[in-house]
Coordinates of all heavy atoms in Angstrom, one line a residue:
Y216 N 109.3 118.3 109.4 CA 109.7 116.9 109.2 C 109.3 116.3 107.8 O 110.1 115.5 107.3 CB 108.9 116.0 110.3 CG 107.4 116.0 110.3 CD1 106.7 115.3 109.5 CD2 106.6 117.0 111.2 CE1 105.3 115.2 109.6 CE2 105.3 117.0 111.2 CZ 104.5 116.1 110.4 OH 103.3 116.2 110.5
R217 N 108.4 116.8 107.1 CA 108.1 116.3 105.7 C 109.3 116.8 104.7 O 109.8 116.2 103.9 CB 106.7 116.7 105.1 CG 106.3 116.1 103.8 CD 104.9 116.3 103.5 NE 104.5 117.8 103.6 CZ 103.3 118.1 103.7 NH1 102.2 117.2 103.8 NH2 102.9 119.5 103.7
A218 N 109.6 118.2 104.9 CA 110.6 118.8 104.1 C 112.0 118.1 104.4 O 112.8 117.9 103.4 CB 110.8 120.3 104.4
S219 N 112.3 117.8 105.6 CA 113.6 117.3 105.9 C 113.8 115.8 105.3 O 114.9 115.5 104.9 CB 113.8 117.3 107.4 OG 112.9 116.4 108.0
L220 N 112.7 115.1 105.4 CA 112.8 113.8 104.8 C 112.9 113.9 103.2 O 113.6 113.0 102.7 CB 111.5 112.9 105.1 CG 111.4 112.4 106.6 CD1 109.9 112.0 106.9 CD2 112.5 111.5 107.0
L221 N 112.1 114.8 102.5 CA 112.1 114.7 101.2 C 113.5 115.3 100.7 O 113.9 115.0 99.5 CB 111.0 115.7 100.7 CG 109.6 115.2 100.6 CD1 108.7 116.3 100.2 CD2 109.7 113.9 99.5
A222 N 114.2 116.1 101.5 CA 115.5 116.6 101.1 C 116.4 115.3 100.8 O 117.4 115.4 100.0 CB 116.2 117.4 102.0
G223 N 116.2 114.3 101.6 CA 117.0 113.0 101.4 C 116.7 112.3 100.2 O 117.3 111.4 99.8
K224 N 115.7 112.7 99.4 CA 115.3 112.1 98.2 C 115.7 113.0 97.0 O 115.2 112.7 95.8 CB 113.7 111.9 98.2 CG 113.2 111.3 99.4 CD 113.8 109.8 99.5 CE 113.0 109.3 100.8 NZ 113.5 108.0 101.1
G225 N 116.5 114.0 97.1 CA 117.1 114.8 96.1 C 116.3 116.0 95.7 O 116.3 116.5 94.6
F226 N 115.6 116.6 96.6 CA 114.9 118.0 96.5 C 115.4 119.0 97.4 O 115.8 118.6 98.5 CB 113.3 117.7 96.8 CG 112.7 116.7 95.9 CD1 112.3 115.4 96.3 CD2 112.4 117.0 94.6 CE1 111.8 114.5 95.4 CE2 111.6 116.1 93.7 CZ 111.5 114.8 94.2
A227 N 115.3 120.2 97.0 CA 115.6 121.3 97.9 C 114.3 121.7 98.3 O 113.4 122.4 97.6 CB 116.3 122.4 97.1
V228 N 114.0 121.6 99.6 CA 112.6 121.8 100.1 C 112.7 122.8 101.3 O 113.3 122.8 102.2 CB 112.0 120.5 100.6 CG1 110.5 120.6 101.0 CG2 112.2 119.3 99.6
M229 N 111.7 123.8 101.0 CA 111.6 124.9 102.0 C 110.3 124.8 102.8 O 109.2 124.9 102.3 CB 111.6 126.3 101.4 CG 111.7 127.4 102.3 SD 112.1 129.0 101.6 CE 110.7 129.4 100.7
A230 N 110.5 124.4 104.1 CA 109.4 124.4 104.9 C 109.0 125.7 105.3 O 109.9 126.6 105.9 CB 109.6 123.5 106.2
L231 N 107.8 126.3 105.0 CA 107.4 127.6 105.2 C 106.4 127.8 106.2 O 105.3 127.3 106.1 CB 106.9 128.2 103.7 CG 106.5 129.6 103.6 CD1 107.6 130.6 103.9 CD2 105.9 130.0 102.4
A232 N 106.7 128.8 107.2 CA 105.7 129.1 108.2 C 104.9 130.3 107.6 O 105.3 131.0 106.8 CB 106.4 129.5 109.4
Y233 N 103.6 130.4 108.0 CA 102.8 131.6 107.5 C 102.0 132.2 108.7 O 101.5 133.2 108.4 CB 102.0 131.2 106.3 CG 101.0 130.0 106.5 CD1 99.7 130.1 106.8 CD2 101.5 128.7 106.2 CE1 98.9 129.0 107.0 CE2 100.6 127.6 106.4 CZ 99.3 127.8 106.7 OH 98.4 126.7 106.8
Y234 N 102.0 131.6 109.9 CA 101.5 132.3 111.0 C 101.9 131.6 112.2 O 102.2 130.4 112.2 CB 99.9 132.5 110.9 CG 99.0 131.3 111.3 CD1 98.5 131.4 112.5 CD2 98.9 130.2 110.5 CE1 97.6 130.3 113.1 CE2 98.2 129.2 111.0 CZ 97.4 129.2 112.2 OH 96.7 128.1 112.6
G235 N 101.7 132.3 113.3 CA 102.0 131.6 114.6 C 103.4 131.1 114.8 O 103.8 130.2 115.5
Y236 N 104.4 132.0 114.1 CA 105.8 131.6 114.4 C 106.6 132.9 114.3 O 106.3 133.7 113.4 CB 106.2 130.8 113.1 CG 107.6 130.3 113.2 CD1 108.2 129.4 114.0 CD2 108.5 130.9 112.3 CE1 109.5 129.0 114.0 CE2 109.9 130.6 112.2 CZ 110.4 129.7 113.1 OH 111.7 129.3 113.2
D237 N 107.6 133.0 115.2 CA 108.5 134.1 115.1 C 107.7 135.4 115.1 O 106.9 135.6 116.0 CB 109.5 134.1 114.0 CG 110.8 134.9 114.2 OD1 111.4 134.6 115.1 OD2 111.0 135.6 113.2
D238 N 108.0 136.4 114.3 CA 107.3 137.6 114.2 C 106.1 137.6 113.3 O 105.6 138.7 112.9 CB 108.2 138.7 114.0 CG 109.0 138.6 112.6 OD1 108.9 137.5 112.0 OD2 109.8 139.5 112.2
L239 N 105.8 136.5 112.8 CA 104.5 136.5 111.9 C 103.3 136.7 112.6 O 103.3 136.5 113.9 CB 104.6 135.0 111.2 CG 105.7 134.8 110.1 CD1 105.6 133.3 109.8 CD2 105.7 135.7 109.0
P240 N 102.1 137.0 112.0 CA 100.9 137.1 112.6 C 100.7 135.9 113.7 O 100.8 134.8 113.2 CB 99.9 137.2 111.5 CG 100.7 137.8 110.4 CD 102.0 137.2 110.6
R241 N 100.1 136.2 114.8 CA 99.8 135.1 115.7 C 98.6 134.2 115.3 O 98.4 133.2 115.7 CB 99.6 135.7 117.1 CG 100.8 136.5 117.8 CD 100.5 137.0 119.1 NE 100.2 136.0 120.0 CZ 101.0 135.1 120.7 NH1 102.4 135.4 120.5 NH2 100.7 134.3 121.5
S242 N 97.6 134.9 114.7 CA 96.4 134.2 114.2 C 96.3 134.4 112.6 O 96.8 135.3 112.1 CB 95.2 134.7 114.8 OG 94.9 136.1 114.6
L243 N 95.4 133.6 112.1 CA 95.2 133.5 110.6 C 93.8 134.1 110.3 O 92.9 133.5 110.2 CB 95.3 132.2 110.1 CG 95.5 132.1 108.6 CD1 96.8 132.8 108.1 CD2 95.5 130.6 108.0
E244 N 93.8 135.5 110.3 CA 92.4 136.1 109.9 C 92.4 136.5 108.4 O 91.3 136.5 107.9 CB 92.4 137.3 110.7 CG 92.2 137.0 112.3 CD 92.3 138.2 113.1 OE1 92.3 139.3 112.6 OE2 92.2 138.0 114.3
T245 N 93.5 136.9 107.9 CA 93.7 137.2 106.4 C 95.0 136.7 105.8 O 96.0 136.8 106.7 CB 93.6 138.8 106.3 OG1 92.5 139.3 106.8 CG2 93.7 139.2 104.8
V246 N 95.0 136.1 104.8 CA 96.2 135.6 104.0 C 96.5 136.6 102.9 O 95.8 136.8 102.0 CB 95.9 134.3 103.4 CG1 97.1 133.9 102.6 CG2 95.5 133.3 104.5
H247 N 97.7 137.1 103.0 CA 98.3 138.1 102.0 C 99.2 137.1 101.1 O 100.2 136.7 101.6 CB 99.0 139.2 102.5 CG 98.0 140.2 103.2 ND1 97.2 141.1 102.5 CD2 97.6 140.3 104.6 CE1 96.5 141.7 103.4 NE2 96.7 141.3 104.6
L248 N 98.9 137.0 99.7 CA 99.7 136.2 98.8 C 101.1 136.8 98.6 O 102.0 136.1 98.2 CB 99.0 135.8 97.7 CG 97.8 134.9 97.8 CD1 97.2 134.6 96.4 CD2 98.2 133.7 98.6
E249 N 101.3 138.1 98.9 CA 102.5 138.7 98.7 C 103.5 138.1 99.6 O 104.8 138.0 99.2 CB 102.4 140.2 99.0 CG 101.6 141.1 97.9 CD 100.1 141.1 98.1 OE1 99.6 140.3 99.0 OE2 99.4 141.7 97.4
Y250 N 103.2 137.7 100.7 CA 104.1 136.9 101.6 C 104.7 135.7 101.0 O 106.0 135.5 100.8 CB 103.5 136.6 102.9 CG 104.4 135.7 103.8 CD1 105.5 136.1 104.5 CD2 104.2 134.3 103.9 CE1 106.2 135.3 105.3 CE2 104.8 133.5 104.7 CZ 106.0 134.1 105.4 OH 106.7 133.1 106.2
F251 N 103.7 134.9 100.4 CA 104.2 133.8 99.7 C 105.0 134.0 98.4 O 105.9 133.3 97.9 CB 103.0 132.8 99.3 CG 102.1 132.4 100.6 CD1 101.2 133.2 101.1 CD2 102.6 131.3 101.3 CE1 100.4 132.8 102.2 CE2 101.8 130.9 102.5 CZ 100.9 131.7 102.9
E252 N 104.7 135.2 97.8 CA 105.4 135.5 96.6 C 106.8 135.8 97.0 O 107.7 135.4 96.1 CB 104.7 136.8 95.9 CG 105.3 137.3 94.5 CD 104.4 138.3 94.0 OE1 104.0 139.2 94.8 OE2 104.2 138.3 92.8
E253 N 107.0 136.4 98.0 CA 108.5 136.5 98.5 C 109.2 135.2 98.6 O 110.3 135.1 98.4 CB 108.6 137.3 99.8 CG 108.4 138.8 99.7 CD 108.7 139.5 101.1 OE1 109.7 139.2 101.7 OE2 107.7 140.2 101.5
A254 N 108.5 134.3 99.3 CA 109.1 132.9 99.5 C 109.4 132.2 98.2 O 110.4 131.7 98.1 CB 108.2 132.2 100.4
V255 N 108.4 132.2 97.3 CA 108.6 131.7 96.0 C 109.8 132.3 95.2 O 110.7 131.6 94.7 CB 107.3 131.8 95.2 CG1 107.6 131.5 93.7 CG2 106.2 130.9 95.7
N256 N 109.9 133.6 95.2 CA 111.0 134.3 94.6 C 112.3 133.9 95.3 O 113.4 133.8 94.6 CB 110.8 135.8 94.6 CG 109.7 136.2 93.7 OD1 109.5 135.6 92.6 ND2 109.2 137.3 94.0
Y257 N 112.4 133.8 96.5 CA 113.5 133.4 97.2 C 114.0 132.0 96.8 O 115.3 131.8 96.5 CB 113.3 133.3 98.8 CG 114.5 132.7 99.6 CD1 115.6 133.4 100.0 CD2 114.5 131.4 99.9 CE1 116.7 133.0 100.6 CE2 115.6 130.7 100.6 CZ 116.6 131.6 101.0 OH 117.7 131.0 101.6
L258 N 113.1 131.0 96.7 CA 113.5 129.8 96.2 C 113.9 129.8 94.8 O 114.9 129.0 94.3 CB 112.4 128.8 96.5 CG 112.7 127.3 96.6 CD1 113.8 127.0 97.6 CD2 111.5 126.4 96.7
L259 N 113.2 130.5 93.9 CA 113.5 130.6 92.5 C 114.9 131.0 92.1 O 115.5 130.6 91.2 CB 112.4 131.3 91.7 CG 111.1 130.8 91.4 CD1 110.1 131.8 91.0 CD2 111.2 129.7 90.4
H260 N 115.3 132.0 93.1 CA 116.8 132.5 92.8 C 117.7 132.0 93.6 O 118.9 132.4 93.5 CB 116.5 134.0 93.1 CG 115.7 134.8 92.1 ND1 114.3 135.1 92.3 CD2 115.9 135.2 90.8 CE1 113.7 135.7 91.3 NE2 114.8 135.8 90.4
H261 N 117.4 130.9 94.3 CA 118.5 130.3 95.1 C 119.5 129.5 94.3 O 119.0 128.8 93.3 CB 117.9 129.3 96.2 CG 118.9 128.9 97.2 ND1 119.7 127.8 97.0 CD2 119.0 129.2 98.4 CE1 120.4 127.7 98.2 NE2 120.1 128.5 99.0
P262 N 120.8 129.6 94.5 CA 121.8 129.1 93.5 C 121.7 127.5 93.6 O 122.2 126.9 92.5 CB 123.1 129.5 94.1 CG 122.8 129.9 95.6 CD 121.5 130.4 95.5
E263 N 121.1 126.8 94.5 CA 121.1 125.3 94.5 C 119.7 124.8 94.2 O 119.4 123.6 94.3 CB 121.5 124.9 96.0 CG 123.0 125.0 96.2 CD 123.4 124.1 97.2 OE1 123.2 122.8 97.1 OE2 123.9 124.5 98.2
V264 N 118.9 125.7 93.5 CA 117.6 125.3 93.0 C 117.4 125.4 91.4 O 118.0 126.3 90.9 CB 116.5 126.2 93.6 CG1 115.1 125.8 93.1 CG2 116.5 126.0 95.2
K265 N 117.1 124.3 90.9 CA 117.0 124.2 89.5 C 115.7 125.2 89.0 O 114.7 125.3 89.7 CB 116.5 122.9 88.9 CG 117.7 121.8 89.0 CD 117.2 120.5 88.3 CE 118.4 119.5 88.2 NZ 118.0 118.2 87.6
G266 N 115.9 125.6 87.8 CA 114.7 126.5 87.2 C 114.1 125.7 86.1 O 114.4 124.5 86.0
P267 N 113.2 126.3 85.5 CA 112.8 127.7 85.7 C 111.7 127.8 86.7 O 111.4 129.0 86.9 CB 112.2 128.0 84.1 CG 111.8 126.8 83.7 CD 112.6 125.6 84.2
G268 N 111.1 126.7 87.0 CA 110.0 126.9 88.0 C 110.2 126.0 89.3 O 111.2 125.1 89.3
I269 N 109.3 126.1 90.2 CA 109.4 125.4 91.3 C 108.1 124.6 91.7 O 107.2 124.8 90.9 CB 109.8 126.2 92.6 CG1 108.7 127.1 93.0 CG2 111.1 126.8 92.5 CD1 108.7 127.9 94.3
G270 N 108.1 123.6 92.6 CA 106.9 122.9 93.0 C 106.3 123.4 94.3 O 106.9 124.1 95.1
L271 N 105.0 123.1 94.6 CA 104.4 123.4 95.8 C 103.8 122.0 96.3 O 103.3 121.2 95.6 CB 103.3 124.4 95.6 CG 103.5 125.8 95.1 CD1 102.2 126.6 94.9 CD2 104.5 126.5 96.0
L272 N 103.9 122.0 97.6 CA 103.3 120.7 98.2 C 102.6 121.2 99.5 O 103.1 121.9 100.4 CB 104.4 119.7 98.8 CG 104.1 118.6 99.6 CD1 103.1 117.7 99.0 CD2 105.3 117.7 100.1
G273 N 101.3 120.8 99.6 CA 100.5 121.4 100.8 C 99.5 120.3 101.0 O 98.8 119.8 100.1
N274 N 99.1 120.2 102.4 CA 98.0 119.4 102.8 C 97.0 120.3 103.6 O 97.4 121.3 104.3 CB 98.5 118.1 103.7 CG 99.0 118.6 105.0 OD1 100.0 119.2 104.9 ND2 98.5 118.4 106.0
S275 N 95.8 119.8 103.6 CA 94.7 120.5 104.2 C 94.8 122.1 103.9 O 94.7 122.4 102.8 CB 95.0 120.3 105.8 OG 93.8 120.9 106.5
K276 N 94.8 123.0 104.9 CA 94.9 124.4 104.6 C 96.1 124.8 103.6 O 96.0 125.6 102.8 CB 95.0 125.2 106.0 CG 95.0 126.8 105.8 CD 93.7 127.3 105.2 CE 93.6 128.8 105.1 NZ 92.3 129.4 104.8
G277 N 97.2 124.0 103.9 CA 98.3 124.2 103.1 C 98.0 123.8 101.5 O 98.5 124.6 100.6
G278 N 97.1 122.8 101.2 CA 96.8 122.4 99.9 C 95.9 123.6 99.3 O 96.0 123.9 98.2
E279 N 95.0 124.1 100.2 CA 94.1 125.4 99.7 C 95.1 126.5 99.3 O 94.9 127.1 98.3 CB 93.2 125.8 100.8 CG 92.5 127.0 100.6 CD 91.9 127.6 101.8 OE1 91.6 126.9 102.7 OE2 91.9 128.9 102.0
L280 N 96.1 126.8 100.1 CA 97.0 127.9 99.9 C 97.8 127.7 98.7 O 98.2 128.6 97.8 CB 97.9 128.2 101.0 CG 97.2 128.7 102.3 CD1 98.2 128.9 103.4 CD2 96.7 130.1 102.0
C281 N 98.2 126.4 98.4 CA 98.9 126.0 97.2 C 98.1 126.3 95.9 O 98.6 126.7 94.8 CB 99.3 124.5 97.2 SG 100.7 124.1 98.3
L282 N 96.8 126.0 95.9 CA 95.9 126.2 94.8 C 95.8 127.8 94.6 O 95.9 128.3 93.5 CB 94.6 125.7 95.1 CG 94.4 124.2 94.9 CD1 93.0 123.7 95.4 CD2 94.7 123.7 93.5
A283 N 95.7 128.6 95.7 CA 95.7 130.0 95.6 C 97.0 130.6 95.0 O 97.0 131.4 94.1 CB 95.3 130.6 96.8
I284 N 98.2 130.2 95.5 CA 99.4 130.6 95.1 C 99.6 130.4 93.5 O 100.0 131.1 92.9 CB 100.6 130.0 95.9 CG1 100.5 130.4 97.4 CG2 102.0 130.1 95.3 CD1 101.3 129.6 98.3
S285 N 99.2 129.1 93.1 CA 99.5 128.6 91.8 C 98.5 129.6 90.9 O 98.8 129.6 89.8 CB 99.0 127.1 91.7 OG 99.8 126.4 92.4
S286 N 97.4 129.9 91.5 CA 96.4 130.7 90.6 C 97.0 132.2 90.3 O 96.5 132.7 89.4 CB 95.0 130.7 91.2 OG 94.6 129.3 91.4
F287 N 97.5 132.7 91.4 CA 97.8 134.2 91.3 C 99.3 134.4 91.0 O 99.6 135.6 90.6 CB 97.4 134.8 92.6 CG 96.0 135.0 92.8 CD1 95.2 134.1 93.5 CD2 95.3 136.1 92.3 CE1 93.9 134.2 93.7 CE2 93.8 136.2 92.2 CZ 93.3 135.4 93.1
L288 N 100.2 133.5 91.3 CA 101.7 133.8 91.2 C 102.2 133.1 90.1 O 101.8 132.0 89.6 CB 102.4 133.5 92.5 CG 101.8 134.0 93.8 CD1 102.7 133.7 95.0 CD2 101.7 135.6 93.8
K289 N 103.4 133.6 89.6 CA 104.1 133.0 88.5 C 105.3 132.1 89.2 O 105.7 132.1 90.2 CB 104.8 134.1 87.6 CG 103.8 135.0 87.0 CD 102.8 134.2 86.0 CE 101.8 135.2 85.4 NZ 100.8 134.5 84.6
G290 N 105.8 131.3 88.2 CA 106.9 130.4 88.6 C 106.6 129.1 89.2 O 107.5 128.4 89.7
I291 N 105.4 128.8 89.3 CA 104.9 127.4 89.9 C 104.8 126.4 88.7 O 103.8 126.5 88.0 CB 103.7 127.6 90.8 CG1 103.8 128.8 91.7 CG2 103.5 126.4 91.4 CD1 104.9 128.6 92.6
T292 N 105.6 125.4 88.6 CA 105.4 124.5 87.5 C 104.6 123.3 87.9 O 103.8 122.8 87.0 CB 106.9 123.9 87.2 OG1 107.7 125.0 86.8 CG2 106.9 122.8 86.1
A293 N 104.7 122.8 89.2 CA 103.9 121.6 89.5 C 103.5 121.8 91.0 O 104.2 122.4 91.8 CB 104.8 120.4 89.5
A294 N 102.2 121.3 91.4 CA 101.8 121.4 92.8 C 101.1 120.0 93.0 O 100.4 119.5 92.2 CB 100.9 122.5 92.8
V295 N 101.4 119.6 94.3 CA 100.8 118.4 94.9 C 99.9 118.8 95.9 O 100.3 119.5 96.9 CB 101.7 117.3 95.3 CG1 101.1 116.2 96.1 CG2 102.6 116.8 94.3
I296 N 98.5 118.6 95.8 CA 97.5 119.0 96.9 C 96.9 117.7 97.5 O 96.4 116.9 96.9 CB 96.3 119.7 96.1 CG1 96.8 120.7 95.0 CG2 95.4 120.2 97.1 CD1 97.6 121.8 95.7
I297 N 97.2 117.7 98.8 CA 96.9 116.5 99.6 C 95.7 117.0 100.5 O 95.7 117.8 101.3 CB 98.0 116.1 100.6 CG1 99.2 115.7 99.7 CG2 97.4 114.8 101.4 CD1 100.4 115.2 100.6
N298 N 94.5 116.4 100.1 CA 93.3 116.7 100.9 C 93.1 118.3 101.0 O 92.9 118.7 102.1 CB 93.1 116.0 102.1 CG 92.9 114.6 102.0 OD1 92.3 114.1 101.1 ND2 93.3 113.8 103.1
G299 N 93.1 118.9 99.9 CA 93.1 120.4 99.9 C 91.7 120.9 99.5 O 90.8 120.1 99.0
S300 N 91.4 122.1 99.7 CA 90.1 122.7 99.4 C 90.3 123.8 98.3 O 91.1 124.6 98.2 CB 89.5 123.5 100.6 OG 88.3 124.2 100.2
V301 N 89.4 123.7 97.3 CA 89.3 124.7 96.2 C 88.5 125.9 96.6 O 88.5 126.9 95.9 CB 88.8 124.0 94.9 CG1 87.3 123.9 95.0 CG2 89.3 124.8 93.6
A302 N 87.9 125.8 97.7 CA 87.2 126.9 98.2 C 88.0 127.7 99.4 O 88.8 126.9 100.1 CB 85.9 126.6 99.0

Side-chain angles (χ1 to χ4, degrees):
Y216 58 89
R217 188 166 58 196
S219 62
L220 290 170
L221 280 174
K224 310 297 183 182
F226 299 100
V228 190
M229 186 167 72
L231 180 63
Y233 54 95
Y234 85 102
Y236 178 77
D237 199 56
D238 58 353
L239 295 175
R241 295 181 63 84
S242 61
L243 193 67
E244 297 174 359
T245 303
V246 175
H247 293 278
L248 292 184
E249 287 84 356
Y250 171 77
F251 299 92
E252 191 169 36
E253 282 190 48
V255 167
N256 287 334
Y257 171 84
L258 199 59
L259 280 169
H260 293 97
H261 195 283
E263 291 202 55
V264 173
K265 283 186 179 181
I269 62 168
L271 299 177
L272 170 61
N274 65 296
S275 192
K276 183 69 175 182
E279 172 198 325
L280 292 174
C281 286
L282 287 172
I284 294 166
S285 302
S286 301
F287 286 99
L288 307 183
K289 301 298 182 183
I291 311 301
T292 300
V295 175
I296 313 299
I297 304 174
N298 286 336
S300 169
V301 77

